[in-house]
């Protein structure tokens, strides 16, 4: 299990278009992902757009579900977010994912995103493990 961040947004798609997501395994049930906020991620108020935060959490937490499921494809069933703070251009935001439970068909997890010492958002979600062969497409980032 490598402790180094790796770029998971290697195929064309939404997250690669938005700057990509770096990801790493911390332990069997804990993962981290990060991104650096740039001008494209801002809303009219000059802070990170909530939609980008939601997409980043979905990609990072979804990748954690994918990894804990032996690289099986996983899709989001539910994702509940609470926006707590703000981030701005140049901020490195890091998400921490904790796997709460994995069954044969579902992954339950929670996630928190921070910038330096500020909490930006917290989330909880459920991912469905698809019953198809592991894909070479990689995680959803």
């Amino acid at each position: 299990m490598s402790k180094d961040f790796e770029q998971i947004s290697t195929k064309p798609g939404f997250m690669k278009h938005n700057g990509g997501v770096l990801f790493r395994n911390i332990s069997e049930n804990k993962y981290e992902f990060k991104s650096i906020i740039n001008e494209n991620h801002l809303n009219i108020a000059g802070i990170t757009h909530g939609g980008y935060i939601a997409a980043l959490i979905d990609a990072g937490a979804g990748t954690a579900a994918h990894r804990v499921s032996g690289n099986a494809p996983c899709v989001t069933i539910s994702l509940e977010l609470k926006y707590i703070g703000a981030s701005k251009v140049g901020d490195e935001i890091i998400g921490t994912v904790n796997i709460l439970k994995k069954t044969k068909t579902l992954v339950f997890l929670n996630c928190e995103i921070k910038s330096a010492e500020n909490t930006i958002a917290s989330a909880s979600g459920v991912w469905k493990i698809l019953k198809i062969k592991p894909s070479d497409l990689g995680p959803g980032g």
Side-chain angles (χ1 to χ4, degrees):
M1 202 175 299
S2 173
K3 299 285 184 175
D4 294 331
F5 280 101
E6 64 177 295
Q7 179 60 253
I8 60 170
S9 304
T10 59
K11 306 277 185 192
F14 182 76
M15 290 309 293
K16 184 173 184 180
H17 174 76
N18 281 295
V21 181
L22 297 166
F23 188 88
R24 69 178 176 179
N25 296 20
I26 300 298
S27 69
E28 186 175 313
N29 290 311
K30 188 172 183 174
Y31 303 85
E32 286 185 335
F33 58 92
K34 71 178 179 176
S35 179
I36 302 220
I37 301 304
N38 66 47
E39 300 251 348
N40 294 338
H41 301 138
L42 302 182
N43 63 20
I44 196 73
I47 59 174
T48 308
H49 193 285
Y52 178 71
I53 296 293
L56 182 62
I57 290 173
D58 191 45
T63 300
H66 170 76
R67 297 270 174 103
V68 79
S69 301
N71 295 327
C74 297
V75 294
T76 311
I77 291 179
S78 70
L79 182 60
E80 180 183 348
L81 284 107
K82 293 177 181 72
Y83 297 99
I84 299 165
S87 57
K88 58 190 180 324
V89 168
D91 285 351
E92 178 181 76
I93 57 176
I94 296 179
T96 303
V97 179
N98 291 299
I99 304 298
L100 303 175
K101 183 174 183 172
K102 179 194 158 293
T103 69
K104 289 182 180 182
T105 59
L106 299 172
V107 177
F108 300 83
L109 56 80
N110 62 30
C111 176
E112 184 174 70
I113 293 224
K114 290 186 172 190
S115 170
E117 297 300 316
N118 301 321
T119 300
I120 306 302
S122 66
S124 61
V126 181
W127 271 255
K128 172 77 173 167
I129 303 167
L130 300 179
K131 296 295 180 192
I132 57 177
K133 292 181 182 178
S135 159
D136 65 352
L137 297 176

